[in-house]
Amino acid sequence: MSGTDSTAPVDLIDAEEDLIPAPQVATARRRLRAHPALLLTGIVLAAVNMRAALAGVSPLLNEMAQHFHLAATASSLVTTIPLIFMGLGSVIAPRLARRWGTEAALCGALVALCGGIVLRIAPPVAALFAGCAVVGGSIALLNVLMPGLIKRDFPERAASMTALYSTAMILGATVSAASAVPLENALGSWQGSLVSWSLLAAVAALVWLPQAVIARRGTHHGEAAAAPAHTTEHGPKLTRSPLAWQVTLFMGSQSLIAYVVIAWMPTIFTDHGMGKSEAGLVFAFSTLVQMAGSFVVPTLAGRMRRQRLLGVMVSILMACGVTGLLIAPVAGAWLWAAVLGVGQGGALGLALTMMVLRSGDAHTAARLSGMAQTGGYLLAAVGPLALGAVHQATDGWTVPLCLLLVVCAGLALLGLGAGRDRRIGERAAA
């Protein structure tokens, strides 16, 4: 990871950070870089797939729950299970990149994503949950592998390429959410709408296949694609750093709020009388406007010594959006969607930026990113499940949304801690 460009989008775990490629692999990658159009196409297609398989579920959640006879708590597992495996999968991604190479691991992740999407529509409910696990694990690999590959293959244009891939990721989620109900109507079932996104994953896998083959050309059977740059872990011990935990919990809390919104926003609207097509469009709009927050907030954060005010501001934005859903969910739906979207995008961008700003070097930043992403997704997985259970127990959305406001308050407090002008390992507060 790199903190040299304060206006650039900031990455999560960089699987390439501590890897030295085998000589044959390095030579093959130089050949691949001679064909940047192929690389660019692969990056954009992979990015579009990174959220589409999740965002397209929310507008169809009621139909899925009715089909499988699921209560609110059980149906929330459709969102919770991918988050758990997004956290767990991020741990093994660097190992896969070291063993097989980033290109092969990316291609395999896209093949698995395609299979997981298809598995979710199989008749038994166990297949639905198994498919969710495969989808989450596949997205975790893409999350981890993409940043390092972009910086490795486009070192002079890393900021612009990261912005392109971030934009493609958000657009994929937006189009998936907006088209979920129209595709259901056109194809005659929620299964058709959901499985249609497997075609995009299959196309992306086909684009990455030749790159995976070329990158491994010249290596012997069983030979690893790369070796670790560090044989032992060095740097400050993150689990003993209160600042590292504040950054991790900030990442997890904002993710919890975001994935509760992903899981339940369309349902909140339809439960209050809104048509499901409009609910899907409002949800898609909220996803789209995240781009504004994810661009502006990191840009401001990189120019400030302390980010405490930004942490409080994004928390207030999300709290205002949640309050709107509580008092006037349908009448002000588009406004609340906009406020929530800007707040969510800003909170995520701030969380990623603080991983770099609170670290003294790139190696520590990569390790902190790994800790925050793994812990953050596991914490976020609690949100949809817990609020779904509370919704089922109270038969309404008042108590769940009030609990979400408590999380927003906690996020503001974490922002005050994680936003201090300090580096992990420093003794004195600045």
Side-chain angles (χ1 to χ4, degrees), residues 273-338:
M274 182 183 288
K276 65 178 183 178
S277 295
E278 185 180 359
L281 288 175
V282 176
F283 173 59
F285 171 70
S286 183
T287 302
L288 182 63
V289 298
Q290 288 181 27
M291 285 193 288
S294 65
F295 176 78
V296 173
V297 171
T299 300
L300 294 174
R303 297 173 178 172
M304 301 167 67
R305 290 185 59 198
R306 300 175 180 84
Q307 295 75 36
R308 306 179 80 181
L309 178 60
L310 289 176
V312 173
M313 286 177 59
V314 296
S315 303
I316 290 174
L317 280 174
M318 287 193 286
C320 289
V322 173
T323 302
L325 294 179
L326 191 61
I327 61 176
V330 175
W334 292 91
L335 175 60
W336 314 137

Side-chain angles (χ1 to χ4, degrees), residues 71-88:
T73 305
S75 63
S76 67
L77 291 173
V78 175
T79 303
T80 298
I81 291 174
L83 287 174
I84 294 173
F85 282 84
M86 284 169 70
L88 298 177

Side-chain angles (χ1 to χ4, degrees), residues 131-332:
C132 290
V134 174
V135 165
S138 303
I139 292 174
L141 299 184
L142 296 173
N143 275 345
V144 175
L145 297 171
M146 289 291 289
L149 181 136
I150 288 172
K151 287 187 292 188
R152 185 195 73 201
D153 289 340
F154 297 91
E156 304 301 323
R157 293 180 288 166
S160 59
M161 286 299 300
T162 304
L164 175 64
Y165 119 84
S166 301
T167 301
M169 182 171 63
I170 292 175
L171 288 177
T174 301
V175 173
S176 175
S179 63
V181 176
L183 281 173
E184 179 189 23
N185 296 333
L187 299 174
S189 67
W190 65 265
Q191 291 94 334
S193 177
L194 213 58
V195 81
S196 62
W197 290 97
S198 65
L199 299 176
L200 183 62
V203 170
L206 288 174
V207 171
W208 278 101
L209 181 59
Q211 301 182 65
V213 173
I214 293 171
R216 290 290 295 180
R217 188 172 293 168
T219 56
H220 302 292
H221 179 70
E223 182 180 357
H230 303 94
T231 55
T232 59
E233 183 180 286
H234 68 279
K237 192 169 183 62
L238 298 183
T239 55
R240 294 181 181 176
S241 168
L243 183 56
W245 279 111
Q246 287 169 343
V247 172
T248 297
L249 292 174
F250 185 89
M251 176 69 178
S253 298
Q254 67 82 26
S255 294
L256 185 152
I257 297 168
Y259 281 97
V260 165
V261 172
I262 288 173
W264 294 116
M265 178 185 270
T267 303
I268 291 171
F269 290 144
T270 55
D271 283 356
H272 286 87
M274 182 183 288
K276 65 178 183 178
S277 295
E278 185 180 359
L281 288 175
V282 176
F283 173 59
F285 171 70
S286 183
T287 302
L288 182 63
V289 298
Q290 288 181 27
M291 285 193 288
S294 65
F295 176 78
V296 173
V297 171
T299 300
L300 294 174
R303 297 173 178 172
M304 301 167 67
R305 290 185 59 198
R306 300 175 180 84
Q307 295 75 36
R308 306 179 80 181
L309 178 60
L310 289 176
V312 173
M313 286 177 59
V314 296
S315 303
I316 290 174
L317 280 174
M318 287 193 286
C320 289
V322 173
T323 302
L325 294 179
L326 191 61
I327 61 176
V330 175

